[in-house]
Amino acid sequence: EADIYQTPRYLVIGTGKKITLECSQTMGHDKMYWYQQDPGMELHLIHYSYGVNSTEKGDLSSESTVSRIRTEHFPLTLESARPSHTSQYLCASSESPGGYTFGSGTRLTVV
Amino acid sequence: AQTVTQSQPEMSVQEAETVTLSCTYDTSENNYYLFWYKQPPSRQMILVIRQEAYKQQNATENRFSVNFQKAAKSFSLKISDSQLGDTAMYFCAFMKLFQGAQKLVFGQGTRLTINP
């Protein structure tokens, strides 16, 4: 079944650790996105990609980085996690302007 | 820059009632898409309904329908015969087509509770 997968679902990690949030989709979509969803539930675009080897910064500044080496894979990395990075991170993909398909999200807590 | 405003942070209705969620947006574009997404507690965000701005006819999807007023930049969602499973956060979103990007701009969300 075509879908988009995010791992881990929940992550609690100490300050200063390096982390990678995984996102994979099986639909062959060229465009992929990372959104940060704060405790107030509002979503902000932090990264997006048009396709392989393409990455762009989103509307909200983020200390995270992304890579797009394969069409299906769009991981997000934090080199040194801080408590201010505590949030929910949603990955999505799209093909046509029909809308996005979202993953289930990763809820990150940095202690 | 486009902005999307949902003025109702929370709403609560009884099962089987009809509820309308409000959304307004600001843009200078003429061609764009509007969406309503649903995010149930601790579950995946899913698309509820989509509206293309060039279409005058309001979109409908079973119990879900929209009232799209382009001149007023208003895009409300009506849920008829509400069910307990409709309890969720609802996000209104705007999509502009720009140089291949399809970036969604979200409103603040409305937390809808359907009571038995």
Side-chain angles (χ1 to χ4, degrees), chain B residues 78-106:
Chain B
K78 185 172 83 171
I79 306 173
S80 303
D81 185 27
S82 57
Q83 301 173 359
L84 297 179
D86 295 333
T87 293
M89 282 291 292
Y90 286 80
F91 292 93
C92 178
F94 172 99
M95 177 185 282
K96 169 188 164 185
L97 303 183
F98 174 71
Q99 296 178 350
Q102 298 167 4
K103 294 191 286 182
L104 275 176
V105 177
F106 288 89

Side-chain angles (χ1 to χ4, degrees), chain B residues 18-58:
Chain B
T18 294
V19 59
T20 298
L21 308 183
S22 301
C23 173
T24 58
Y25 59 95
D26 186 25
T27 184
S28 58
E29 300 294 322
N30 193 45
N31 294 319
Y32 51 87
Y33 293 78
L34 294 163
F35 304 86
W36 279 98
Y37 280 89
K38 168 185 177 181
Q39 187 177 36
S42 300
R43 292 181 63 187
Q44 202 166 358
M45 178 118 50
I46 57 174
L47 177 65
V48 175
I49 201 165
R50 176 185 75 168
Q51 176 80 43
E52 292 94 333
Y54 65 86
K55 290 187 177 179
Q56 293 185 334
Q57 186 174 6
N58 289 325

Side-chain angles (χ1 to χ4, degrees), chain A residues 37-44 87, chain B residues 9 89 91 107-111:
Chain A
Q37 186 171 26
D38 61 25
M41 302 298 284
E42 198 164 348
L43 293 101
H44 300 282
S87 189
Chain B
M89 282 291 292
F91 292 93
Q108 304 90 332
T110 296
R111 186 179 304 277

